[in-house]
Amino acid sequence: MNTSTSSTSETSSTTTIAVVGAGLGGLACARVLQLHGLDVTVFEQEASADARPQGGTLDMHGDTGQVALRTAGLYETWRALARPEGQQMRAIDPFGADVVMDEIPAEDDEFKPEIDRGQLRGLLLDSLTPGTVRWGRATQDVTPLPDGTARLRFTDGATEDFGLVVGADGAWSRVRRALTGVRPEYSGVAFVEFGLDDADRRHPALAAFTGQGTMVAKTGGNAIFAQRNSNGHIRGYAVFHAPEDWHAGFAFADTAAVRATLLERYAGWHPELLGFLRDNDGEFTHRPLYVLPVPHAWTSAPGVTLLGDAAHLMPPLGVGANLAMLDGTELATALATSPSVAEAIRVYEARMLPRSIETAAACREGLVHLLSDEVRPAAA
């Protein structure tokens, strides 16, 4: 990859930067830092890039995620992988299985094209200087130091000091603890993930329901969402209100027990729609929905800041990855153009925090409508 060897600030020659977490926001931050010639290392607790599946499909918004991709110099590479047809949105009546809404994007509509999360992460990883990401390095905690730097302590007891530690380590961030004691709270909504492989050939009826983008069927506080991914895969979710321990009577590894429980919950739905729960491939995955309170903010501390879910964990209504990448690229740009790390943090947080609070409030309201009987799925 090509990176610049100069920067418009003094930061490049005086500061080492640690990004904790190799998710989309952390990688976008590292990419732009390297474009400006700044010294950055990404620490990731997972053993490798392929340690686990990276999840489903993401829509990159023209005013957030795509802005970040342009800043990172990766827009054209992303565009070659993106699926504009994935913007299709349809709603299905849960009892009659009739299509009650079908929004097909115009041929030139590229405001929110879809891309598989794994493809996007791979694109970002490939853009970094080899060796930037240190795999298998789990963070224990971060301590701001009197000289304005921060000490990063790993779970093996080793420590390293940096001019800045960026917490990009997601919902259960260890870096967040250096700034705020707030922890995510259960939202009262459970997601149960499932998948359909080679869907057009093996599950043609379910593929037809899904279309080229996203399908939703919902009533009475229960919903089924399905999203088209690349390579013929469909990823779906059963979504419903439930107490946090709703699954206490069985193990999620017992696929038959999960399936029976879900089919009982969705009893009365059209038999063909129930195929999403009855005929899916592989195991179910429990993804309870946790959120940070609104507003979530903190008093700036020397040498530490947050981005993405570590800063503003909110309901998954299509904005999280977009905001994380925008956070990361804006922070990197501030570091490259500010006279000091402290000023860069001030500039970045003054922009990021109000935006995230406003968006989180909108998502909180959107979650109320997510499981309502309104035809249109909630979107921020």
Side-chain angles (χ1 to χ4, degrees):
M1 67 164 245
N2 295 320
T3 58
S4 170
T5 58
S6 64
S7 172
T8 56
S9 85
E10 300 173 2
T11 307
S12 60
S13 61
T14 60
T15 303
T16 55
I17 301 168
V19 174
V20 179
L24 300 178
L27 294 175
C29 183
R31 162 67 176 180
V32 177
L33 288 170
Q34 289 188 343
L35 287 177
H36 287 281
L38 277 72
D39 182 0
V40 58
T41 303
V42 179
F43 296 96
E44 170 55 51
Q45 65 178 349
E46 293 181 352
S48 70
D50 302 320
R52 64 177 177 85
Q54 289 302 305
T57 184
L58 301 168
D59 53 353
M60 287 284 100
H61 296 196
D63 56 356
T64 49
Q66 291 182 44
V67 172
L69 286 162
R70 290 183 188 277
T71 303
L74 298 172
Y75 177 84
E76 295 300 332
T77 309
W78 161 79
R79 181 61 191 82
L81 296 170
R83 305 188 307 277
E85 69 277 8
Q87 297 172 95
Q88 182 181 10
M89 179 70 69
R90 57 171 38 176
I92 308 292
D93 171 58
F95 303 118
D98 301 313
V99 176
V100 295
M101 182 194 77
D102 196 0
E103 293 185 349
I104 300 174
E107 188 173 343
D108 60 348
D109 182 357
E110 297 196 1
F111 182 67
K112 296 193 297 183
E114 298 279 342
I115 183 172
D116 285 11
R117 181 183 288 269
Q119 291 178 318
L120 183 57
R121 190 187 192 219
L123 183 160
L124 288 163
L125 283 168
D126 289 345
S127 76
L128 298 177
T129 301
T132 299
V133 181
R134 296 190 190 175
W135 301 100
R137 297 295 284 159
T139 295
Q140 181 65 36
D141 55 45
V142 178
T143 304
L145 301 176
D147 64 355
T149 62
R151 178 161 296 158
L152 185 58
R153 183 162 65 101
F154 301 95
T155 54
D156 63 3
T159 63
E160 291 188 47
D161 293 353
F162 294 90
L164 175 65
V165 175
V166 180
D169 47 342
W172 304 102
S173 171
R174 297 295 183 95
V175 181
R176 187 194 297 131
R177 300 174 187 176
L179 296 171
T180 170
V182 175
R183 291 174 55 83
E185 303 169 345
Y186 179 58
S187 67
V189 174
F191 280 60
V192 179
E193 181 182 310
F194 56 85
L196 304 169
D197 297 323
D198 194 10
D200 293 297
R201 185 181 67 85
R202 299 182 62 247
H203 306 282
L206 301 178
F209 280 135
T210 305
Q212 295 303 309
T214 299
M215 178 225 76
V216 58
K218 57 179 183 172
T219 186
N222 297 322
I224 293 176
F225 289 83
Q227 290 184 307
R228 176 77 62 163
N229 289 216
S230 62
N231 300 316
H233 184 73
I234 291 174
R235 187 178 298 266
Y237 304 88
V239 184
F240 45 87
H241 296 290
E244 194 169 8
D245 62 350
W246 70 273
H247 60 294
F250 57 88
F252 251 79
D254 186 347
T255 300
V258 179
R259 178 171 288 118
T261 300
L262 291 176
L263 288 172
E264 181 179 0
R265 176 177 287 272
Y266 288 80
W269 282 43
H270 194 281
E272 290 190 13
L273 279 174
L274 290 179
F276 282 109
L277 307 178
R278 186 183 58 243
D279 302 326
N280 57 292
D281 301 308
E283 298 179 348
F284 294 93
T285 303
H286 186 215
R287 302 198 183 280
L289 180 57
Y290 294 92
V291 296
L292 283 168
V294 182
H296 178 243
W298 56 87
T299 301
S300 290
V304 185
T305 193
L306 305 173
L307 64 79
D309 284 351
H312 45 70
L313 180 66
M314 58 188 77
L317 300 182
V319 295
N322 285 274
L323 288 185
M325 292 176 63
L326 188 63
D327 290 350
T329 55
E330 286 188 348
L331 173 58
T333 300
L335 288 163
T337 57
S338 299
S340 67
V341 172
E343 177 63 11
I345 292 174
R346 187 196 67 77
V347 169
Y348 161 68
E349 291 181 351
R351 185 170 185 178
M352 181 273 293
L353 285 171
R355 175 178 65 213
S356 66
I357 291 169
E358 179 181 1
T359 306
C363 285
R364 181 176 60 186
E365 295 302 313
L367 185 60
V368 174
H369 297 289
L370 183 70
L371 293 173
S372 73
D373 287 346
E374 292 182 9
V375 169
R376 182 182 299 274

